[in-house]
Amino acid sequence: MATIMQKDVLLEGVFQALGYVINKNPNSKDREVLLDLKENIYCSAPEELDFNEMSQYIKQVIETYKG
């Protein structure tokens, strides 16, 4: 369950992660997963989102591609 502010944080994280992924490997599977995640976040009520799970995935992608 997420709040409205956490939903906003998730969207910011997805866009940040997409920037790193597209810069390193634009055809990566992570790019597709992040785009699907973005759609899911936009289309869902905050209460339907698992903030902890989603934010951990986003952080993992950022760490993988940031280097």
Side-chain angles (χ1 to χ4, degrees):
M1 187 164 138
T3 65
I4 291 173
M5 288 304 296
Q6 288 172 323
K7 182 175 177 175
D8 185 57
V9 168
L10 289 172
L11 286 169
E12 287 180 33
V14 166
F15 286 116
Q16 182 180 11
L18 276 169
Y20 287 120
V21 170
I22 290 170
N23 188 40
K24 290 266 185 169
N25 185 3
N27 297 318
S28 166
K29 178 163 174 50
D30 286 317
R31 179 180 155 279
E32 292 300 319
V33 173
L34 287 166
L35 290 172
D36 289 342
L37 185 58
K38 177 189 67 125
E39 278 299 310
N40 183 29
I41 294 169
Y42 272 129
C43 295
S44 300
E47 301 81 28
E48 299 171 353
L49 302 172
D50 185 341
F51 178 79
N52 291 329
E53 181 181 324
M54 290 179 168
S55 62
Q56 284 202 290
Y57 172 73
I58 293 166
K59 287 177 189 175
Q60 179 261 321
V61 171
I62 289 171
E63 289 303 313
T64 300
Y65 289 89
K66 190 176 184 179

